[in-house]
């Protein structure tokens, strides 16, 4: 498929796909004799993974590490487990922060009225979302 179809299938823009190729996050695509990029279904699966990981807040370098783990079948299991546990910890911290935000916003929605009273200071107590 061409880059437009790969973009549509993966949820990424063609511009982002070209950017990911330029920074070597994904390998350069195969090209037709006319120079057009050609993608296979496996390429689109990788692009979908990248899209979802970025939506979840993973950095480019974290995504790069995850892709390297997937590609390197000879990496020691202990190393893979260590990296996976680190990312699980990051996800758990984000989940906790998102739940705190959810609870605070739910409280605000349930307890505010139509008066011109500003929200209480409880919003100041919200934890920042972890990176």
């Amino acid at each position: 498929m061409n880059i437009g179809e790969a973009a549509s299938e993966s949820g990424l823009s063609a511009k982002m796909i070209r950017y990911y190729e330029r920074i070597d996050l994904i390998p350069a695509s195969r090209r037709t004799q006319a120079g057009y990029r050609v993608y296979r279904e496996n390429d689109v699966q990788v692009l979908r993974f990248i899209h979802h990981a970025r939506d979840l807040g993973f950095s480019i370098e974290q995504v790069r590490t995850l892709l390297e783990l997937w590609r390197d079948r000879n990496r020691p299991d202990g190393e893979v487990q260590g990296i996976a546990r680190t990312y699980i910890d990051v996800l758990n911290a984000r989940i906790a922060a998102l739940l705190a935000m959810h609870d605070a916003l739910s409280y605000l929605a349930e307890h505010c009225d139509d008066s011109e009273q500003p929200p209480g200071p409880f919003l100041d107590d919200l934890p920042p979302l972890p990176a």
Side-chain angles (χ1 to χ4, degrees):
M1 66 186 77
N2 65 33
I3 194 167
E5 293 165 329
S8 178
E9 291 287 321
S10 68
L12 294 169
S13 68
K15 183 177 181 178
M16 286 306 298
I17 295 172
R18 287 189 293 272
Y19 170 71
Y20 290 150
E21 284 184 10
R22 193 169 58 253
I23 65 169
D24 295 322
L25 185 61
I26 58 173
S29 62
R30 294 179 297 138
R31 302 278 183 140
T32 66
Q33 286 186 350
Y36 293 106
R37 289 173 169 86
V38 178
Y39 298 90
R40 298 172 306 207
E41 182 58 35
N42 186 52
D43 299 324
V44 173
Q45 289 174 346
V46 170
L47 293 170
R48 280 189 201 116
F49 172 80
I50 293 169
H51 179 70
H52 292 305
R54 295 290 290 148
D55 276 352
L56 290 172
F58 284 102
S59 70
I60 293 288
E61 289 310 311
Q62 289 170 323
V63 171
R64 186 182 309 279
T65 299
L66 291 170
L67 288 172
E68 287 170 3
L69 288 176
W70 175 72
R71 290 178 182 135
D72 184 1
R73 305 293 182 184
N74 297 320
R75 189 178 292 241
D77 288 345
E79 185 180 350
V80 173
Q81 288 173 342
I83 292 169
R85 285 189 178 114
T86 299
Y87 286 136
I88 289 169
D89 292 343
V90 169
L91 287 173
N92 284 332
R94 283 194 194 133
I95 290 167
L98 287 168
L99 287 171
M101 176 69 78
H102 174 272
D103 292 345
L105 291 174
S106 293
Y107 178 88
L108 178 64
E110 292 171 14
H111 292 92
C112 68
D113 57 24
D114 289 335
S115 71
E116 294 186 25
Q117 179 80 16
F122 75 93
L123 290 177
D124 296 334
D125 297 332
L126 288 177
L129 287 176

